[in-house]
Structure formats: C-alpha cells, structure tokens
Amino acid sequence: MGNLFKSLTIGKHTIKYPIFQGGMGVGISWDELAGNVSKEGCLGIISAVGTGYYKNMGFVDKILSSKPFEAINFYSKNALNEIFKNARKICGDKPLGANILHAINDYGRVVKDACEAGANVIITGAGLPTNMPEFTKNFPEVALVPIVSSAKALRVICKRWSERYKRVPDAVVVEGPLSGGHQGFKYEDCFKPEYQLENILPQVVAESMQWGSMPIIAAGGIWDRNDIDAMLSLGASGVQMGTRFLGTKECDAKAYQQILPHITEDDIELVKSPVGYPARALKIGVMQRLKEGNAPKVQCISNCVSPCQRGKEAKKVGYCIADSLGKGHLGNLEEGLYFSGANGYRVKEILSVKALVDELTQR
C-alpha cells in the first residue's frame, strides 16, 4: 500500500493530500473535525457560521424578543478565536481553512476575524465573492478560494479581482448539485445532466486556464477513491468532501453519528431555504415538523443572512435556518435542521477521520 497522490499547493500553503473537508455550518465542522482533518494531511475547514453557538459564546441562547439580535452575536469573534485555538492544539501549524458564506451579514468582518484567528485559507460560496480580497489586504499570506458552480461565475470573479485587486483566486472550488446544504443552482437545474459536476468541471478548468494557473477543486457527491480519481482525470487538482466527514467520530455535531447509519436514499431531499437557494437536507426534525404542520414559530433572533431580510424569507419557507441548524448542532432531533449530500444514505459505519483519510489516500 502507498499514497499515489501528489501534494497540493494553495497560495503559500502545501497540503499533503489534495482533499478539502467541506466547511459545514453551525457546529458541524469546528475544532474537533477540522483540526483532525488537517492533522491527517488534508485541509480541515472551520465553518464561521453560527460560532455564537460554540459553548454559548456570544449568542444569547433561547432568549427571544421583538427586536432581533444583531449578527455579531451569531458570528462571535471570541468563539471563532477559541475554535481556531483548539483546532491548532490538534493539527499544529498544518494548513487550516475557514468557510465563510458570502450571503451572511457582516461578511467582511467575519473574513477579517478568521484571518486574525489564524486561517491559512478562506473559502467562500453562497454568492459571488467579488469583493473578497478587499477584506484580506493586511493578510497577504492567506489564500483565497471562491466556490463557483459555472465557468461564467469564475469568469466574473476573475475579471473583477484582476481589475480591482490585480490578482486572481489562489484556487477555486467547483461544486455540483449533489452536495449537502445550499446549491448554486435553481431547483429544477439540480436534476439536469448539463449541470452535473462531471459536465461543469471541464468547463471551469478550461476557463481557469484563461487566467493563469490555479488549482480547481471538485466538490459535490464525491464518495470514494474512484470518484476522486475520476475528478482528477477530468482536470481537477483535488476534491472537496463534506458528507464523508459527516460520518466521522470527530464531526462536531454528534447527532449525525446516530442519524446517518439509519437513513435511506428517500430520506434526503431538496428543500427551500431562507437563504434563497435550494438546499439538500434530511426529512427529519424541522423538515418533518413542516410536513406535519406543527413547525416551531419563526422569530428572527440573529439576523444571520442578508437574503432572509430579518426573517421575512424564513416565514415564507416555514423555518429559521439559523435557529434550526443551531438546534441540530445541539442534538434536538425534533426541531433541528440536518443537511446531507445526496450520498448520505451510504454512511453505514461511523469512522475516525484517520481511518477515512487512510481509506481515501492509500492503495
């Protein structure tokens, strides 16, 4: 047995294996998961979403009022610092990333906070981060990686970045519609062949070559070594995997350990989200309550994402994404929201991160 992978360089940082762990929000990929993924030679990615839930730091738990709390309570700088500090205790000085949704309120502040906390790589999706370099001017060592779902999106980002900031991305994640959480496609397009990862990846690779050399990271529905090899053969330099890391002992949202081994393919569906994108989730918790007609009352307590308009969109779809994901992190199986990629039903055994990385990288 031996590793056949080449190392992957992103900006000034080199990762032993060309595998990103997806940045899964509100307590799924925090210090324990991301720290252990980086320790094992992949890129562990800390989600900056909902850090106020981390040991109740910064977030006023369970308190509701007529006036919503501001985003600063939901995206807690103190908690993010603590998460990075604890992850560093696990992985040392190995590269460590942060995933920050462009759709959040206070995006610029959270990017700066992540840089100050010690992120080596910033990954951003859920919108086109055309202003991403604006917030990292004082951190030239931090690599910037946008997430796109088309060659057109990459073209727009590269054009804006080159004109405004005289730079292009250090790498790009191209995500197909089989991923967990929010999709970069319209609902109906998620099922069309032309939008599947294997079809959009070569287009994004071709577009990237117009802007110089940048690694392309394929994401969405990648399950095993065969899938990784297939993506590399299509021109990718590496892959990003979220759902596989959901099914690990180190996943920070421990409820997934009891949920995933028992779900079926029919338990995973695309749902409407207050963020304005379709999202792939499990038919349990708040999703089941919605079907029963007895979902918890929607009250905006965090002002978390700008497209939601302080709870307006949440009331339309029937649930608050911040509150529901927070309850999922806390293990509330009755009211929590649980995301999963299309392959979540294939998790039959909860592995350690080390065992999973060995499975993916060794022959």
Side-chain angles (χ1 to χ4, degrees):
M1 294 177 65
N3 170 48
L4 301 178
F5 285 142
K6 295 179 180 178
S7 61
L8 179 63
T9 298
I10 307 293
K12 298 179 180 179
H13 310 285
T14 299
I15 305 155
K16 181 179 180 181
Y17 301 125
I19 298 173
F20 285 23
Q21 159 249 308
M24 299 169 281
V26 192
I28 297 175
S29 58
W30 279 347
D31 44 15
E32 188 177 358
L33 179 57
N36 277 284
V37 172
S38 285
K39 176 186 176 183
E40 297 304 328
C42 303
L43 181 64
I45 298 174
I46 290 168
S47 171
V49 174
T51 48
Y53 271 98
Y54 183 76
K55 300 180 180 178
N56 291 326
M57 294 178 67
F59 193 69
V60 185
D61 191 29
K62 305 297 184 185
I63 298 177
L64 301 174
S65 70
S66 58
K67 182 178 180 181
F69 296 119
E70 288 306 314
I72 197 166
N73 297 299
F74 189 63
Y75 303 101
S76 167
K77 179 177 182 177
N78 290 338
L80 188 62
N81 286 336
E82 188 73 10
I83 292 168
F84 266 92
K85 183 177 75 173
N86 290 330
R88 288 291 179 199
K89 291 177 182 177
I90 299 170
C91 70
D93 61 358
K94 292 183 177 180
L96 193 60
N99 182 287
I100 306 169
L101 303 182
H102 195 254
I104 69 171
N105 282 307
D106 272 3
Y107 172 75
R109 174 182 71 81
V110 178
V111 170
K112 292 177 183 176
D113 288 348
C115 292
E116 291 174 0
N120 304 116
V121 183
I122 303 290
I123 301 96
T124 286
L128 287 181
T130 55
N131 60 346
M132 194 178 181
E134 185 71 30
F135 310 111
T136 61
K137 291 179 189 175
N138 297 327
F139 305 92
E141 73 285 355
V142 175
L144 303 184
V145 182
I147 300 175
V148 303
S149 54
S150 69
K152 180 181 178 181
L154 177 58
R155 189 178 313 124
V156 170
I157 290 171
C158 288
K159 188 172 186 295
R160 297 279 180 86
W161 285 24
S162 61
E163 290 174 352
R164 295 180 185 176
Y165 309 108
K166 310 302 179 188
R167 66 173 297 176
V168 294
D170 294 291
V172 175
V173 173
V174 53
E175 189 169 81
L178 296 182
S179 63
H182 294 103
Q183 306 300 310
F185 307 89
K186 296 178 181 177
Y187 183 94
E188 59 273 15
D189 289 344
C190 290
F191 305 96
K192 295 177 181 178
E194 60 265 36
Y195 294 102
Q196 301 309 306
L197 179 60
E198 62 271 20
N199 293 321
I200 61 175
L201 170 59
Q203 298 171 26
V204 172
V205 170
E207 179 62 33
S208 72
M209 293 178 179
Q210 304 301 312
W211 301 94
S213 176
M214 67 183 77
I216 304 301
I217 312 301
I222 297 165
W223 180 259
D224 55 19
R225 180 60 178 266
N226 289 335
D227 291 339
I228 296 174
D229 290 341
M231 293 302 110
L232 297 182
S233 72
L234 290 173
S237 299
V239 300
Q240 178 172 285
M241 308 175 78
T243 301
R244 285 308 305 266
F245 288 103
L246 269 184
T248 62
K249 296 175 182 177
E250 292 87 353
C251 175
D252 290 276
K254 301 304 179 185
Y256 282 97
Q257 295 181 12
Q258 62 183 103
I259 294 171
L260 288 181
H262 305 290
I263 65 169
T264 67
E265 189 171 4
D266 290 338
D267 292 323
I268 306 169
E269 65 178 343
L270 275 178
V271 301
K272 293 181 179 179
S273 164
V275 178
Y277 300 91
R280 184 168 278 103
L282 300 180
K283 297 178 185 177
I284 62 174
V286 71
M287 290 295 117
Q288 181 61 33
R289 296 284 294 273
L290 280 171
K291 289 181 172 62
E292 295 170 355
N294 61 357
K297 183 180 179 181
V298 174
Q299 296 190 47
C300 180
I301 60 173
S302 60
N303 192 23
C304 63
V305 291
S306 54
C308 189
Q309 304 177 66
R310 283 190 179 275
K312 182 179 177 181
E313 297 302 315
K315 289 176 181 176
K316 286 183 182 179
V317 300
Y319 67 96
C320 167
I321 193 162
D323 200 23
S324 300
L325 286 172
K327 289 175 180 177
H329 163 67
L330 296 172
N332 185 333
L333 298 181
E334 295 297 317
E335 298 183 1
L337 174 62
Y338 295 92
F339 283 154
S340 167
N343 285 319
Y345 70 97
R346 297 173 69 178
V347 176
K348 299 304 180 187
E349 179 185 4
I350 304 300
L351 303 174
S352 68
V353 166
K354 184 181 188 310
L356 175 58
V357 173
D358 285 347
E359 174 190 316
L360 296 173
T361 61
Q362 305 300 316
R363 286 294 194 188

